[in-house]
Amino acid sequence: MSMRLASILPILAILTSCATVPNTSIENLQGDIPDGNGLVVAETITNGERIVGPVRYWTEIVLWRVDYDGEDDTFSIDSLSYSLSTQAYMGLVPEGTYRVGMLYAFLQLGDRSFSARALAPPAIGTFEVRAGHVTNLGTFLYQPFQDRNWIDTEYPDYAMTRIPDDDLWESAKLANPHIAAQIDADYPVLGWNPDGYDAIRNDAARMIKEAALPTRIHALADGSFLFSGLLGGLYSLRDGAVQNFSLDDNYKITDVVELSNGQFLIGGELGKLGTSMPLGENVKYMPMEQRLAHILDIDRSGSGQAYVLSLTNDGYGIYQYDVDKGSLSFLKKLHKKKIGFIERGYIAYVEDIRHPNLIGTPEGIAIYFDKLVFRYDEQADQWSESEALEFNTMYQQRDGYITGTPYSSWSGTMPLRYSADGGLNWTESDETGGIFGGGASQEPTYRFSDGEFIRTGEDVDINFWTESEVLDEVPILSSTDNGVNWAPVGSIPRGCVTIAVESSRDELVHILCNNGAAISSTDRGRSWSESFAPRIPDFETFPGALKLRYQSEEIKSTSPPPPIITVD
């Protein structure tokens, strides 16, 4: 048995007693900080589409107190709030010396629950907690080495490292002033104990950063394509050549728009909204009214003005970015929709599929939300409001067509709609709607200029009597009769399920895969070729002291650790 595996085995006891681990999250605090406790702040970022099964984010960090003979030697800190990629944690912990035992996730979907865990390699290090002090653990990076489907139960091999984030405590103070007021500002902010292995951790962080997972494709005016996603990832694809323009920060980029003056407007998590020119350089961030807002979408009007949709704790904000003045102004607030009884079974996905849809129009913008459409005329500086279908998803193609799947509280989805005039008039497809009808789908659908539709088919063989399985190939479905009949015309590898409608055109259709690769078709989905290579780093070349290989429930060491990494 290697020394690293031996040092992990004591932590395994946490797994059998997780339900009894004291939770130290500040959300449980009533009154003053208890005597003898210090404040621990941290972040986690998963550089992957999901962890395992339907679980996408870590909900807890479990801490293990070392050199301690008492009963309470493990503590859990909850994630503070929903985010798009980055999860923040803040907890009150008794003073002592600690390791991170593991990252843990729990997800409740209706009457079913799911969990996931990742033991922290001892090479992550140790830290001190002192009464009345703040310990800033920075950001933990979790890198899975295999992409997983939503029905997969097998854990991926993974690596974990950490990077500093000196601004983390400043952000935490803004979000939790009642806690910050109880911390003596004269006390130094604590961090990790020196151990001589920063080079190993930094090397691992560099490899993960270079493998930042793309989640969106953008078509640029010069014919090239831009991939954006996790960890500030930005990659340009031109004539088969890839250039890395990733940003220095590590937050998810949610949207990028090319402006008429040559600048790029880049939006992301935690109020990150800024301009860049040239791409990836000279980034200038704009102050948001709420620093904890998340940028969901950016679009342009016919005049070239840019509009921004943000998610806040209490609703959605719509902003206008004046390209000529370089200024941002608030336009409108929308309150979150209340979740219905039937929807509670999949509440975890509501923010992903039920937020407002922002569409650029010749006059300004249109926002579809909660059976209403809000239209803004920028020349008149006026809003109008009218009844409309409520859409689960909506996409605007490069040729101006808009496709969308209306929402139904009973059947899930209604038949596909499409519009050629900015949503003023809609045409309904003739497919059968609803989950139980078996025809309508929430997968993005691309409409060709001659009326043909293509979309991806099911990637999982669902069987209620035997074990369901992930298909090795995903069918490409085509309809030439307005959705009455759908027939397979080609196939793509597993993990490639989402047509990039907004960056595709009739002559070149793109699909972004879960592993960060992109494939493209020039013959309407009949054949496909890889246009952008996967971004998952190589397990074998990753620093051994920070990676673990899962084999079912057994954790096996992959290489010897540095000799001094032990558990006292």
Side-chain angles (χ1 to χ4, degrees), residues 304-347:
Q305 295 285 50
Y307 295 85
V308 179
L309 171 67
S310 70
L311 166 67
T312 65
N313 288 332
D314 59 351
Y316 304 92
I318 297 93
Y319 298 80
Q320 182 188 61
Y321 177 73
D322 190 304
V323 178
D324 296 328
K325 298 179 180 179
S327 60
L328 187 72
S329 57
F330 175 78
L331 290 182
K332 193 174 185 63
K333 178 74 173 287
L334 296 176
H335 295 284
K336 288 185 179 181
K337 175 180 170 58
K338 293 183 179 180
I339 306 304
F341 172 76
I342 295 178
E343 297 170 293
R344 294 184 187 279
Y346 52 92
I347 190 171

Side-chain angles (χ1 to χ4, degrees), residues 85-158:
S85 167
T86 304
Q87 302 294 307
Y89 310 78
M90 182 185 293
L92 296 167
V93 180
E95 57 186 351
T97 302
Y98 287 84
R99 292 187 184 275
V100 174
M102 68 175 175
L103 306 181
Y104 182 77
F106 180 81
L107 174 64
Q108 185 79 38
L109 295 178
D111 59 354
R112 300 189 64 190
S113 61
F114 304 85
S115 64
R117 61 184 179 271
L119 299 184
I124 291 293
T126 65
F127 60 91
E128 304 294 328
V129 175
R130 297 177 188 169
H133 287 67
V134 174
T135 300
N136 182 356
L137 300 184
T139 303
F140 295 98
L141 302 181
Y142 171 83
Q143 175 64 60
F145 288 101
Q146 298 89 22
D147 61 292
R148 291 294 185 232
N149 188 276
W150 64 273
I151 69 164
D152 281 331
T153 58
E154 182 181 358
Y155 286 91
D157 304 329
Y158 68 91

Side-chain angles (χ1 to χ4, degrees), residues 127-285:
F127 60 91
E128 304 294 328
V129 175
R130 297 177 188 169
H133 287 67
V134 174
T135 300
N136 182 356
L137 300 184
T139 303
F140 295 98
L141 302 181
Y142 171 83
Q143 175 64 60
F145 288 101
Q146 298 89 22
D147 61 292
R148 291 294 185 232
N149 188 276
W150 64 273
I151 69 164
D152 281 331
T153 58
E154 182 181 358
Y155 286 91
D157 304 329
Y158 68 91
M160 191 185 305
T161 189
R162 59 175 170 86
I163 54 177
D165 185 347
D166 296 335
D167 294 331
L168 184 56
W169 171 229
E170 295 301 318
S171 298
K173 286 194 293 186
L174 291 176
N176 303 276
H178 62 293
I179 297 292
Q182 300 184 53
I183 300 295
D184 193 328
D186 293 331
Y187 286 165
V189 176
L190 305 178
W192 292 87
N193 294 326
D195 59 8
Y197 293 101
D198 286 342
I200 295 175
R201 290 185 289 263
N202 292 342
D203 191 36
R206 175 188 56 78
M207 295 177 69
I208 294 175
K209 176 74 171 178
E210 291 175 351
L213 187 77
T215 59
R216 199 163 181 179
I217 307 176
H218 316 267
L220 302 184
D222 63 2
S224 63
F225 296 92
L226 187 64
F227 293 73
S228 67
L230 305 180
L231 289 169
L234 274 177
Y235 312 96
S236 171
L237 176 64
R238 182 197 299 271
D239 298 327
V242 176
Q243 285 186 279
N244 192 336
F245 294 100
S246 297
L247 305 185
D248 291 335
D249 66 49
N250 297 300
Y251 296 115
K252 179 180 180 179
I253 297 175
T254 53
D255 205 356
V256 180
V257 165
E258 188 177 14
L259 303 176
S260 57
N261 61 2
Q263 290 184 324
F264 293 87
L265 185 61
I266 303 172
E269 296 179 290
L270 302 176
K272 293 291 185 179
L273 182 68
T275 57
S276 175
M277 189 172 70
L279 182 63
E281 300 180 19
N282 305 317
V283 180
K284 298 179 181 179
Y285 289 109

Side-chain angles (χ1 to χ4, degrees), residues 453-473:
F453 297 132
I454 64 166
R455 64 164 63 123
T456 57
E458 295 293 338
D459 63 334
V460 173
D461 181 14
I462 300 293
N463 193 311
F464 294 102
W465 310 110
T466 61
E467 186 175 356
S468 300
E469 62 176 339
V470 181
L471 300 177
D472 290 331
E473 292 187 340

